[in-house]
């Protein structure tokens, strides 16, 4: 198991709190990714501006994708899935991508860890409907 997955699993059970990023206290999907980053790299690479739950939608801008591309290594969408990949999801066709998770298992038992409103941080099967929503795949940078 990768260090990324091991860290993300420590967040399971953390309540969902919009804009939060504190393990076992509260986080949203971005907060989970930020928390894993801090565990691996120390300080976050940039300040996260205030954001609403519909962030980026009114302007149609891929704000989250752009931020991920600044600090993570983007993989080709058809690249082989690896444990620890950061997944960016488009929840509805034609909308911006605004949900994140960490791939925790690959293959026939593929799973991912994410913070989901009303559920908190959990590990979910990466079923066909979820797989079809993947807009981009990233890796944490080494070092």
């Amino acid at each position: 198991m990768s260090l990324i997955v091991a860290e993300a699993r420590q967040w399971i059970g953390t309540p969902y709190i919009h804009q939060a990023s504190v393990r076992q206290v509260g986080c949203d999907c971005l907060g989970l990714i930020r928390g894993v980053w801090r565990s691996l790299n120390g300080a976050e690479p940039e300040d996260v501006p205030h954001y609403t739950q519909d962030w980026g939608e009114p302007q149609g801008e891929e704000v989250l994708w752009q931020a991920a591309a600044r600090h993570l290594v983007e993989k080709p969408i058809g690249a082989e899935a690896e444990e620890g990949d950061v997944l960016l999801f488009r929840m509805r066709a034609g909308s911006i991508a605004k949900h994140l998770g960490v791939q925790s298992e690959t293959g026939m038992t593929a799973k991912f860890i994410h913070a989901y409103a009303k559920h908190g941080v959990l590990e979910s099967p990466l079923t066909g409907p979820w797989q079809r929503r993947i807009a981009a795949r990233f890796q944490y940078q080494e070092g």
Side-chain angles (χ1 to χ4, degrees):
M1 173 185 357
S2 76
L3 291 174
I4 296 162
V5 172
E7 176 61 26
R9 282 191 171 135
Q10 290 185 41
W11 287 70
I12 292 173
T14 299
Y16 182 91
I17 299 177
H18 178 64
Q19 293 191 7
S21 180
V22 181
R23 184 174 61 211
Q24 301 307 320
V25 174
C27 72
D28 58 12
C29 65
L30 176 58
L32 171 65
I33 303 305
R34 292 171 52 212
V36 171
W37 173 283
R38 288 192 308 267
S39 174
L40 299 171
N41 300 303
E44 294 182 42
E46 67 180 71
D47 290 334
V48 177
H50 173 77
Y51 54 93
T52 61
Q53 293 194 350
D54 70 347
W55 57 314
E57 286 179 6
Q59 302 82 12
E61 296 177 12
E62 294 283 0
V63 177
L64 191 53
W65 196 324
Q66 293 165 5
R70 284 194 301 273
H71 305 293
L72 302 170
V73 178
E74 191 166 356
K75 297 173 68 171
I77 196 64
E80 183 175 342
E82 296 179 75
E83 289 183 6
D85 283 355
V86 175
L87 307 174
L88 176 62
F89 297 92
R90 191 176 311 281
M91 299 305 286
R92 289 186 312 264
S95 67
I96 65 164
K98 63 177 204 172
H99 186 62
L100 294 162
V102 174
Q103 180 127 19
S104 54
E105 292 185 28
T106 60
M108 297 298 290
T109 60
K111 294 181 182 177
F112 71 113
I113 301 164
H114 60 134
Y116 210 45
K118 300 180 185 170
H119 299 283
V121 179
L122 56 121
E123 189 166 17
S124 299
L126 189 55
T127 60
W130 277 111
Q131 289 177 19
R132 287 189 292 276
R133 292 181 177 130
I134 297 173
R137 185 180 288 275
F138 297 88
Q139 289 180 315
Y140 284 95
Q141 297 189 40
E142 295 192 26

